[in-house]
């Protein structure tokens, strides 16, 4: 096991070769680290900008052992990493950050909400649903409308169904294939916000200004940051992020999705134990962006500054929207971040642009 802080020239492993892994890799290489990606898809967006890629499944024991031996520290770009994979990496001698607790909590919506409420990060009311009769009981307690979500493996609005009438419960349960689920009360939010925060190996916490997020068809489209939020709102978001990071004994960057209610109350929707799409604005709004911050935390360096020097509008380019690069390339107010994906499938995240709106 290596001594911390890891010096430049050390090797960072990343599970996942998508755009988040790519931007982690780019930030790590700027600090002098070599990066090895593990991803089942050859020639992944992250693999193409890294020292090497191991092409294998995230649960392939031999590949994990190889990665663990090659790397001083291993991190991940998505939260559905099998717990056994983390153990295998640790056995092969790599440090892993964030640790298994954060993964376990974030992989299950019931465990996640239970944890959040326990550390004072309030969520909507919820009930556990294993059977149709649980669902009927939950509807009676929570009220309608309510949102039925699978406990595991839902993202970007997938595995979710609104229930507006008690007669719809059977169809809703069927729509999620009767999988273990959670019924959530509808949050009467006025805005969706998020906060990106980091915790280092000594427990120091750094929090970025809040972002305001707009979705289209369940997928993030725009983040405006720093969001216009009162000092009290920013302070509350900071408190929430810190409670979560401390509660998980977390190392790395974490995204917290929030609902803002009409009276300014912040409820936590969910957490992502990784760099987050709503933090991409930091690349052009902050001296130390979320990717560098994540690398700093996991290699045992001190955290970088989180103050914004610019107001930024981040827009995701999905599918063939990426063709706009031609026009955007000549726009002096935007910075283009293209992910190097060959195939622009509909809805696929291909790129984002950060439009600098002015100084913060
Ligand atoms: P999620 O996959 O949990 O992030 O949910 C995707 C989107 O669905 C969120 O960004 C919200 O717009 C909406 N949503 C999720 N949960 C709730 C809720 N309990 N009440 C109202 N809207 C929700």
């Amino acid at each position: 096991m290596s001594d911390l802080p890891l010096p430049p020239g050390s090797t960072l492993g990343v599970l996942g070769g998508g755009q988040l892994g790519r931007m982690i890799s780019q930030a790590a290489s700027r600090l002098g680290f070599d990066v090895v990606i593990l991803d089942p898809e050859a020639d992944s967006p992250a693999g193409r900008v890294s020292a090497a890629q191991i092409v294998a499944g995230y649960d392939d024991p031999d590949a994990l052992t190889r990665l663990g031996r090659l790397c001083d520290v291993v991190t991940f770009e998505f939260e559905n990493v099998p717990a056994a994979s983390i153990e295998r990496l640790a056995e092969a001698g790599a440090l892993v950050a964030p640790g298994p607790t954060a993964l376990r909590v974030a992989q299950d919506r019931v465990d996640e909400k239970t944890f959040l409420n326990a550390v004072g990060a309030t969520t909507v009311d919820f009930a556990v649903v294993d059977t149709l009769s649980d669902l009927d009981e939950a509807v009676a307690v929570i009220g309608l409308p309510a949102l039925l979500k699978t406990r595991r493996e839902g993202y970007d609005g997938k595995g979710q169904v609104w229930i507006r009438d008690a007669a719809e419960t059977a169809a809703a349960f069927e729509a999620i294939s009767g999988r273990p689920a959670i019924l959530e009360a509808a949050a009467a939010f006025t805005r969706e916000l998020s906060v990106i925060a980091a915790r280092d190996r000594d427990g120091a916490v750094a929090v970025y200004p809040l972002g305001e997020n707009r979705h289209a068809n369940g997928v993030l489209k725009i983040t405006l940051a720093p969001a216009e939020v009162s000092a009290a709102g920013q302070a509350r978001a900071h408190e929430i992020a810190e409670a979560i990071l401390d509660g998980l004994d977390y190392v790395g960057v974490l995204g917290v999705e929030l609902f803002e209610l009409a009276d300014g109350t912040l409820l936590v929707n969910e957490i992502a134990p990784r760099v987050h799409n709503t933090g991409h604005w930091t690349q052009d709004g902050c001296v130390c962006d979320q990717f560098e911050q994540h690398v700093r935390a996991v290699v045992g360096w001190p955290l970088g500054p989180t103050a914004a020097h610019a107001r930024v509008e981040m827009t995701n380019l999905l599918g063939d929207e990426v063709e706009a690069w031609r026009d955007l390339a000549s726009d002096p107010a935007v910075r283009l971040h293209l992910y190097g994906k060959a195939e622009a499938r509909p809805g696929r995240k291909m790129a984002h642009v950060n439009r600098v709106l002015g100084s913060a």
Side-chain angles (χ1 to χ4, degrees):
M1 197 88 40
S2 318
D3 286 337
L4 294 171
L6 293 177
S10 306
T11 303
L12 170 71
V14 183
L15 296 184
Q19 67 271 13
L20 300 179
R22 179 179 172 102
M23 291 183 278
I24 291 171
S25 180
Q26 290 167 323
S29 78
R30 214 168 47 228
L31 298 181
F33 294 99
D34 289 326
V35 178
V36 180
I37 304 293
L38 175 70
D39 191 289
E41 194 190 315
D43 216 18
S44 66
R48 291 218 304 283
V49 300
S50 300
Q53 179 181 336
I54 298 172
V55 182
Y58 303 117
D59 54 357
D60 180 323
D62 296 338
L64 289 161
T65 300
R66 246 178 85 208
L67 185 72
R69 288 197 183 133
L70 278 172
C71 298
D72 301 288
V73 63
V74 176
T75 189
F76 40 85
E77 62 144 27
F78 67 109
E79 53 269 46
N80 289 320
V81 177
S85 299
I86 303 294
E87 282 157 28
R88 177 71 65 155
L89 288 164
E91 277 165 21
L95 283 168
V96 183
T101 313
L103 277 177
R104 187 180 48 71
V105 166
Q107 282 173 357
D108 183 301
R109 291 185 190 276
V110 171
D111 293 349
E112 183 180 33
K113 285 201 166 50
T114 305
F115 161 78
L116 288 168
N117 287 290
V119 297
T122 315
T123 69
V124 292
D125 289 337
F126 65 97
V128 180
V129 173
D130 288 320
T131 62
L132 181 56
S133 75
D134 289 346
L135 179 55
D136 287 323
E137 269 172 49
V139 162
V141 175
I142 303 270
L144 291 176
L147 191 49
L148 183 68
K149 300 182 181 177
T150 54
R151 280 177 74 150
R152 303 176 75 87
E153 288 172 6
Y155 66 96
D156 285 348
K158 296 190 174 72
Q160 312 194 354
V161 41
W162 278 101
I163 303 178
R164 294 176 200 284
D165 186 299
E168 293 167 10
T169 53
F173 198 52
E174 170 91 37
I176 60 157
S177 310
R179 278 179 289 168
I182 180 171
L183 188 73
E184 295 185 10
F189 62 82
T190 46
R191 288 193 296 177
E192 291 193 72
L193 303 171
S194 59
V195 61
I196 307 295
R199 187 168 177 274
D200 73 12
R201 293 194 179 267
D202 297 325
V205 167
V207 183
Y208 288 96
L210 284 155
E212 177 179 337
N213 305 314
R214 303 196 183 137
H215 297 81
N217 306 318
V219 179
L220 180 71
K221 189 63 197 160
I222 289 173
T223 299
L224 271 163
E228 283 185 31
V229 180
S230 66
Q234 182 70 42
R236 175 64 188 139
H238 190 122
E239 197 175 71
I240 289 171
E242 192 155 2
I244 294 169
L245 291 165
D246 287 343
L248 295 172
D249 193 20
Y250 196 85
V251 173
V253 162
L254 172 126
V256 184
E257 295 178 17
L258 300 162
F259 295 132
E260 184 187 47
L261 309 187
D263 66 358
T265 301
L266 296 177
L267 300 179
V268 178
N269 173 27
E270 63 179 4
I271 57 175
R274 54 173 168 78
V275 291
H276 198 245
N277 196 168
T278 69
H280 291 0
W281 70 274
T282 60
Q283 290 173 308
D284 297 295
C286 301
V287 168
C288 175
D289 67 40
Q290 63 164 346
F291 302 101
E292 176 174 332
Q293 193 75 288
H294 185 68
V295 173
R296 282 171 166 265
V298 302
V299 301
W301 286 23
L303 298 177
T306 50
H309 58 69
R311 283 184 302 120
V312 175
E313 181 187 73
M314 188 287 310
T315 304
N316 276 337
L317 301 184
L318 308 177
D320 58 16
E321 288 169 1
V322 70
E323 292 305 325
W325 69 265
R326 287 175 196 283
D327 295 329
L328 290 164
S330 58
D331 185 336
V334 305
R335 191 136 175 257
L336 264 168
H337 299 265
L338 292 144
Y339 306 150
K341 296 182 183 175
E343 209 188 326
R345 290 193 293 272
R348 192 175 193 204
K349 289 176 180 169
M350 299 298 292
H352 68 272
V353 291
N354 282 335
R355 180 176 293 277
V356 175
L357 303 176
S359 43

